[in-house]
Amino acid sequence: MKIAKILGAASAAVVSAAVLAASASANEAFLMYASSDWSVQCMDAASANATNADITGDGTYTVSIGGFEWEDEETAEMVPATATGATVFCIDIADLATDLGCGKGSDAYEALGSSATAADKMAVAQAAGVEFSNVVITATNTDGSTTDIAVDESKLIWGDIEGNGKIRLEIYNAYGDTSKDAPIDAAGFSFDDTLSVTFTISGVGGDAAAADEPAADDATDTGAAADDTAATTTPEKGSPDTGVEGIAAVAGVAVLAAGAVLVSKKRK
């Protein structure tokens, strides 16, 4: 019994360490946006108008902006601001290119040279396994009406486009390559409440969808428990060479020792 208790305590400690490491590996994603006339904009992840998402592994996430107001000249009251079209419309994911080894400083990226295009940088990200799909853009108004903005996913561009270690999903940028062949009608929408983008990302590691599942208290198969735990762990931030395998292996050992422990993480 003493040995069992010791193993159980040690396993719990290792699993806790794995969870902390996985949590530390989350990469913040935010929606960068500027309307056609720049009157409505959100250019900073720390903005009060931004609702961000922590990318903890492969899965589906939503980022949004909203709550913009301006002063009515006649009444001097604050009213919802209407944003029309887009000059800049991107999703930035902090440090993800660095973490995955497909951004500035990596051999493949540096081999592109100074004349590299956004498409070249996207090819490096794709070679590392990074893919975006199922992109759904929704504009919502204060009257309750919503509009889904059509997206041609074949024209999206992503990667370490600016050479700053971030993965950027460029939906439209008047100053970028998507201005030449836009994935959306950049002038054909407006909103006065929120603008949201739901997307699926793969090639990050881990399993964000599985991370939302509750722990199974009645699990008895230690092999299955180890597999589930491995699916909910994520790469260690700042250690792209270690990746998800290291954390998954440690957590898996802990699960086997404990009997059947499932780790569940909450995705933002």
Side-chain angles (χ1 to χ4, degrees):
M1 288 297 293
K2 289 184 179 180
I3 293 177
K5 289 182 179 179
I6 292 172
L7 287 175
S11 300
V14 174
V15 171
S16 296
V19 172
L20 289 174
S23 298
S25 71
N27 298 81
E28 186 178 41
F30 93 101
L31 178 56
M32 176 185 293
Y33 171 82
S35 61
S36 295
D37 61 0
W38 285 89
S39 63
V40 173
Q41 56 179 283
C42 180
M43 307 299 286
D44 189 338
S47 170
N49 298 109
T51 299
N52 306 330
D54 284 340
I55 308 301
T56 56
D58 294 353
T60 300
Y61 301 88
T62 298
V63 291
S64 65
I65 55 174
F68 299 98
E69 295 181 319
W70 54 34
E71 186 178 274
D72 185 295
E73 293 181 358
E74 295 181 359
T75 65
E77 296 179 349
M78 298 303 293
V79 297
T82 298
T84 301
T87 299
V88 176
F89 196 167
C90 306
I91 295 173
D92 273 5
I93 307 177
D95 303 325
L96 188 56
T98 298
D99 290 354
L100 297 178
C102 60
K104 184 177 181 180
S106 68
D107 291 342
Y109 191 95
E110 296 304 322
L112 296 176
S114 59
S115 60
T117 64
D120 294 331
K121 296 171 183 179
M122 177 174 169
V124 172
Q126 288 181 308
V130 180
E131 295 286 344
F132 286 87
S133 60
N134 304 319
V135 177
V136 177
I137 304 174
T138 303
T140 304
N141 294 300
T142 53
D143 64 4
S145 63
T146 62
T147 301
D148 288 335
I149 301 168
V151 185
D152 185 341
E153 292 188 359
S154 69
K155 298 179 180 181
L156 294 171
I157 296 175
W158 63 83
D160 189 0
I161 296 175
E162 293 195 319
N164 54 13
K166 300 177 182 179
I167 288 289
R168 167 170 290 182
L169 173 61
E170 187 173 295
I171 299 170
Y172 179 76
N173 188 348
Y175 312 102
D177 285 6
T178 48
S179 64
K180 305 169 187 175
D181 193 12
I184 63 171
D185 179 359
F189 68 93
S190 64
F191 66 95
D192 68 0
D193 189 11
T194 61
L195 180 67
S196 68
V197 181
T198 298
F199 61 93
T200 298
I201 185 171
S202 57
V204 179
D207 187 344
D212 284 338
E213 294 297 326
D217 294 332
D218 58 350
T220 56
D221 187 294
T222 56
D227 288 343
D228 288 346
T229 303
T232 61
T233 54
T234 54
E236 182 179 356
K237 186 172 182 180
S239 301
D241 294 335
T242 301
V244 65
E245 294 84 357
I247 295 175
V250 173
V253 171
V255 167
L256 290 173
V261 180
L262 295 182
V263 179
S264 176
K265 304 198 307 297
K266 180 180 179 181
R267 173 171 59 78
K268 182 176 178 181

